[in-house]
Amino acid sequence: MFDTVKKILIIKPSALGDIVHSLPFLASVKKKFPLAEIDWVVAHGLHTFLEGHPMINQLWVIKKDQWKKPGHLARTLKEINALRKGLKASGYDVSIDLSGLLRSGIITYLAGAKIKLGFKASDEGSPFFYTHKIHGSMNIHAIDRYMEIAGFMGCDTDTIDYPLAPYDPTPPILRELPPQYGVMSPSAGKPANRWPAEKFGRLASKLTLPTVVIANAAEAGIAEQVVGHAKGNAISVAGRTSLKDLLALIAGASFFVCNDTGPMHIAAALNIPVFAIFGPANPVRTGPYGSIHTVIQKKMDCAPCYAKQPCSHFRCMNELSVQAVFDILDQKVRQT
């Protein structure tokens, strides 16, 4: 079925962590089909993370967040029609939906490929648009789940590589940082996944290395809360790093402390020891991938509950003490 494949389309617009999770899939597919052109549908804003990637022939950049706004309907329909025409004209042999949502399913269909792949257990009716529905286990890591589609295509699924797009290893912002540092990422897309910023700050105050706090511009206030409780042992670069600057900054870190958030997966891809604080989310599915990383999670009968907002008691985060996290981190760092 895949013997004559020459053009492949991957549909994985977002989020940052999900795109990082998809890189081993990209590497596996490119290894199996070295002469094939691989294109990628990605969300505007995250496209810079993949720009210049040697394994990707073309990026199709969509403004997906605007697609949900009624006021942008005319513009959205025009963009979708232009995308449809462009994808159709590209002559794809295979389109692959790694997102499993209605939007990504429609794009998979619009590409016009003879072979349309996606997971049988997907959301919002997206499997309706696939020609082949792959069983993807739900209780495994997202990376391993994506690799089940790679296996269906006859690709190697034993090797996990993260082919990152080229980036400047010494961006100007690094000159403002100490020679040795740890990185903290105290934000998270879902409020229920956030260990309190004050606790991150108190943790930073106990560490022997200075801490660099990262966040996007919209979450700069969270970073400043961390700095405010760090007793001078943390600095914020919130809103001052591009995605590729972030790669260089994390690559130079001694360790990475975080909630369940996208930059965590960048650190894992760069083989930087991650200390990931989990509450309602399931680290089996979305935790840092690899044996050198540590998940810190209070044992709760109700976890994982996958809540987006904190519940009435929020014990999984509120009762996880600074001292408990510090003891785990300090012991592991001393061993390395």
Side-chain angles (χ1 to χ4, degrees):
M1 177 168 49
F2 299 101
D3 292 343
T4 59
V5 167
K6 295 179 180 178
K7 294 205 71 171
I8 299 169
L9 180 67
I10 295 173
I11 299 100
K12 191 60 173 175
S14 61
L16 177 60
D18 294 334
I19 290 174
V20 176
H21 289 160
S22 304
L23 293 177
F25 175 83
L26 171 66
S28 181
V29 170
K30 189 62 177 178
K31 182 179 179 181
K32 173 67 176 179
F33 306 100
L35 300 181
E37 292 183 358
I38 302 177
D39 296 349
W40 192 308
V41 177
V42 64
H44 184 268
L46 294 174
H47 66 287
T48 57
F49 184 75
L50 294 174
E51 279 182 337
H53 201 297
M55 293 184 182
I56 300 174
N57 181 64
Q58 179 178 349
L59 293 175
W60 295 94
V61 182
I62 62 172
K63 297 180 179 178
K64 69 175 188 64
D65 292 337
Q66 294 185 8
W67 290 11
K68 304 174 185 177
K69 300 177 181 179
H72 291 83
L73 180 59
R75 190 184 308 169
T76 294
L77 291 175
K78 184 178 180 180
E79 181 182 354
I80 291 174
N81 189 47
L83 178 66
R84 177 187 65 82
K85 290 180 178 178
L87 294 177
K88 198 87 170 178
S90 296
Y92 293 109
D93 302 301
V94 183
S95 56
I96 306 161
D97 181 8
L98 294 183
S99 288
L101 300 172
L102 177 60
R103 174 182 57 239
S104 58
I106 291 173
I107 295 173
T108 304
Y109 175 78
L110 293 179
K114 182 178 180 180
I115 302 171
K116 307 173 185 68
L117 306 180
F119 291 112
K120 183 177 182 180
S122 293
D123 296 328
E124 302 176 353
S126 55
F128 174 79
F129 300 100
Y130 312 148
T131 59
H132 298 77
K133 303 171 182 66
I134 289 85
H135 172 74
S137 303
M138 295 302 295
N139 292 315
I140 60 175
H141 198 279
I143 289 175
D144 294 324
R145 190 166 189 256
Y146 298 157
M147 294 300 273
E148 291 187 343
I149 293 184
F152 180 81
M153 297 174 68
C155 305
D156 171 26
T157 60
D158 294 327
T159 305
I160 301 298
D161 291 324
Y162 297 89
L164 295 165
Y167 63 93
D168 179 3
T170 57
I173 198 165
L174 289 190
R175 294 196 288 267
E176 302 177 26
L177 306 183
Q180 282 190 293
Y181 56 87
V183 171
M184 281 188 178
S185 183
S187 57
K190 299 174 183 177
N193 289 343
R194 296 175 185 165
W195 197 48
E198 175 188 348
K199 291 189 174 185
F200 272 102
R202 288 164 49 203
L203 175 64
S205 73
K206 298 168 72 70
L207 299 175
T208 55
L209 286 181
T211 301
V212 178
V213 186
I214 62 171
N216 61 35
E219 296 166 330
I222 296 174
E224 289 303 325
Q225 288 182 55
V226 176
V227 173
H229 289 89
K231 298 181 179 179
N233 203 38
I235 60 172
S236 170
V237 294
R240 299 179 55 208
T241 56
S242 69
L243 287 176
K244 295 212 174 163
D245 289 344
L246 203 58
L247 282 163
L249 191 154
I250 293 173
S254 297
F255 55 84
F256 190 92
V257 188
C258 59
N259 294 315
D260 179 17
T261 183
M264 167 180 71
H265 303 295
I266 293 178
L270 291 168
N271 216 33
I272 303 301
V274 172
F275 297 86
I277 298 170
F278 270 69
N282 188 349
V284 172
R285 295 185 185 181
T286 60
Y289 192 92
S291 60
I292 70 167
H293 311 300
T294 304
V295 171
I296 304 172
Q297 187 174 36
K298 182 177 176 61
K299 186 174 177 60
M300 300 285 295
D301 291 337
C302 55
C305 68
Y306 304 104
K308 295 181 179 180
Q309 298 292 334
C311 66
S312 58
H313 59 80
F314 204 39
R315 288 179 52 213
C316 59
M317 289 300 199
N318 289 335
E319 294 184 7
L320 182 60
S321 71
V322 172
Q323 189 63 46
V325 175
F326 171 77
D327 288 343
I328 293 170
L329 194 155
D330 186 57
Q331 179 184 12
K332 292 274 187 177
V333 170
R334 288 177 184 274
Q335 289 174 355
T336 58

